[in-house]
Amino acid sequence: MTQDAGGAQAPAGVIGLDIGGTKVRGLLRDADGVPVSTARVLTRQGPQGVVASALECIDMLLSDAGAARHDVRAIGIGVPGVVDVAAGTVTSAVNLGIGPEPFALARALTEQVGCLRVRLENDVNVAALGAARTLGIDDAAYLALGTGVAAGIVLSGRLLRGHLGVAGEIGHVPLDATGPRCSCGQRGCLEMSASGAALSAAWAAQRDPGTGEVDVFTAAARGDQGAGRVCREYAQAVATCVQLLVLACGVRTVVIGGGVADIGRPLQDAVADALAARATHSPFLAGLHLPDRVVLCGGSDDVAALGAALLATEAAADDQPLELAV
């Protein structure tokens, strides 16, 4: 163990990292699960850039706590892209500059930090874990609305990955076989109407150039009829996501996260209104109280870093380290 400035020993702990396309958010928790320090650094591109950014964040966390790398018991990492949990690899993380070849991120950090327990997971999944813990519930879905649409699902306190890890990929549920072509190759996917990219595109097509770059929900609040129409249509698409997650997975709460969640209360109210309107025609839906089961999680909430730290805690309790890909 290392010692802090006062000579006391710094407690061994676990680290959670949320590695995003622009920043890495980190959380250090002590052996009792108490948060010790947090840190944020900019994300560098490419496999080695991601490793360097993660190490910078780890060292900042440890420095603030008066600890050293050998004090780390386990590291949990949330990362975008396709994650092989067993192998500790990530592929196709476009926002990180990681291509189709598997990159052994867990092993790279193991070699640099010396920690034998590094657990890698998809970023939306770790956000779901963190959101469920923050809310104090065992059943929740974290609905990430950004460039795309995806959900992380926690049932009975455990993460649901599903066969091939596709649980929660609701953005690629097709709603309209004649709709626009999705990046996945299908037509009319939910992502084409419920993503942040879809909202931006709809507003760009509707917006009068004279309104400048004002946010669509702000414009709607000011009485812009076109903006109001865009917001209502978007809220209906998000409401479909919420309804799908509740009916298919039985989650108690749907947490709306991702960049779109930064819109705040106007988005939550619009989605709640859309769900309430559906319930007026369906006693079945009315009995589910869907509007009351939606909460927001803005970009300032570090639920993904917390979820990654929870993974690390689980890894630290394992008797054997994971067998990581070379």
Side-chain angles (χ1 to χ4, degrees), residues 273-287 291:
D273 288 345
L275 291 168
R278 297 180 185 193
T280 61
H281 306 292
S282 169
F284 169 66
L285 290 180

Side-chain angles (χ1 to χ4, degrees), residues 47 82-84 87-93 98-106 120 325-326:
V82 180
V83 175
D84 185 326
T89 62
V90 56
T91 59
S92 302
I98 296 176
E101 291 299 318
F103 173 57
L105 177 57
L120 202 62
V326 176

Side-chain angles (χ1 to χ4, degrees), residues 97-164:
I98 296 176
E101 291 299 318
F103 173 57
L105 177 57
R107 175 165 290 279
L109 286 179
T110 296
E111 293 173 348
Q112 292 289 331
V113 180
C115 174
L116 296 180
R117 293 179 176 86
V118 177
R119 186 158 293 177
L120 202 62
E121 182 57 81
N122 178 266
D123 57 345
V124 179
N125 284 346
V126 297
L129 286 173
R133 173 61 63 88
T134 299
L135 294 171
I137 56 180
D138 289 333
D139 299 288
Y142 179 88
L143 176 60
L145 303 177
T147 304
V149 173
I153 301 166
V154 176
L155 293 177
S156 299
R158 299 188 64 84
L159 188 62
L160 177 67
R161 297 187 181 94
H163 183 59
L164 300 180

Side-chain angles (χ1 to χ4, degrees), residues 252-272:
R252 173 181 173 181
T253 301
V254 177
V255 182
I256 298 178
V260 176
D262 288 338
I263 292 172
R265 189 74 193 189
L267 173 64
Q268 182 173 355
D269 290 344
V271 174

Side-chain angles (χ1 to χ4, degrees), residues 190-216:
L190 190 51
E191 184 172 289
M192 302 304 293
S193 55
S195 66
L199 176 62
S200 296
W203 179 223
Q206 175 67 52
R207 177 171 56 85
D208 184 331
T211 61
E213 294 299 322
V214 64
D215 173 79
V216 60

